[in-house]
Amino acid sequence: MIPAHSVTITLPDWIDEVVDFGAACPDDASRMAVAVRLARENIVRKTGGPFGAAVFRADGRLAGVGVNRVVPLRNSVLHAEIVAFMMAQSAIGSYTLGAEDSPGYELFTSCEPCAMCLGAMPWSGVRRVVWAATREDAGRLQFDEGPVFDATYEYLRARGLRFEAGPLRAEARAILAEYGLGGGEIYNG
């Protein structure tokens, strides 16, 4: 039993099997492939929800990864993006990925971020966010992505963040569909 004054956040054991932390990913497609593969493995191996994320340095080196751990770790904030931020910050030994001497960090995520994850963006320190599937794609499964408005993106862009729909949407949508067809739990829906 975990004491009431403690929280443990873990990635599944299979992460080191499928992620090459030493490899450089030179372009958006190869970076998104990491996030999408994480999402797929997470549902195939039944270790969480259908979402994966990866934080990269601007030069394509991987800083941290995350998969959705909400259900297995019984913690509503453990979305893939949040876990990826936590792991990357732990790896570099800083509470921010946006320090002045930082090489610049980018988040690649298998699905457009929800309201909570968008809210974490300015404090995470990432400067660019790229997604595959859209909020609407997740909404088809009844995932509630929360209150996200055009003004939300305007505010975050004014803070220096860049947002882009990226490659591999069809692959990410297929993962969401597979999760739904397999009876995966729709939490917070």
Side-chain angles (χ1 to χ4, degrees), residues 12-154:
D13 293 338
W14 54 261
I15 291 288
D16 289 328
E17 293 173 33
V18 302
V19 176
D20 182 354
F21 284 92
C25 295
D27 55 30
D28 285 0
S30 62
R31 294 173 194 184
M32 187 61 75
V34 173
V36 169
R37 180 156 188 214
L38 288 165
R40 176 132 183 65
E41 292 291 332
N42 210 35
I43 66 164
V44 167
R45 296 175 188 245
K46 300 187 182 317
T47 52
F51 305 101
V55 174
F56 290 90
R57 291 171 30 140
D59 67 3
R61 296 282 179 201
L62 189 59
V65 299
V67 292
N68 182 281
R69 301 291 281 156
V70 170
V71 173
L73 297 181
R74 298 171 302 282
N75 188 317
S76 63
V77 303
L78 295 182
H79 291 196
E81 298 91 337
I82 301 297
V83 174
F85 292 153
M86 291 175 175
M87 296 302 173
Q89 290 167 346
S90 178
I92 70 166
S94 176
Y95 63 86
T96 182
L97 301 169
E100 284 188 33
D101 61 347
S102 159
Y105 290 90
E106 302 174 340
L107 174 72
F108 284 74
T109 180
S110 66
C111 190
E112 186 175 355
C114 70
M116 177 185 71
C117 293
L118 281 171
M121 299 291 167
W123 294 282
S124 74
V126 296
R127 304 315 306 154
R128 180 174 176 241
V129 179
V130 183
W131 60 80
T134 65
R135 295 177 68 247
E136 291 78 16
D137 296 332
R140 286 187 188 93
L141 285 181
Q142 305 304 311
F143 277 107
D144 182 354
E145 299 301 285
V148 177
F149 309 103
D150 290 340
T152 305
Y153 282 104
E154 290 171 22

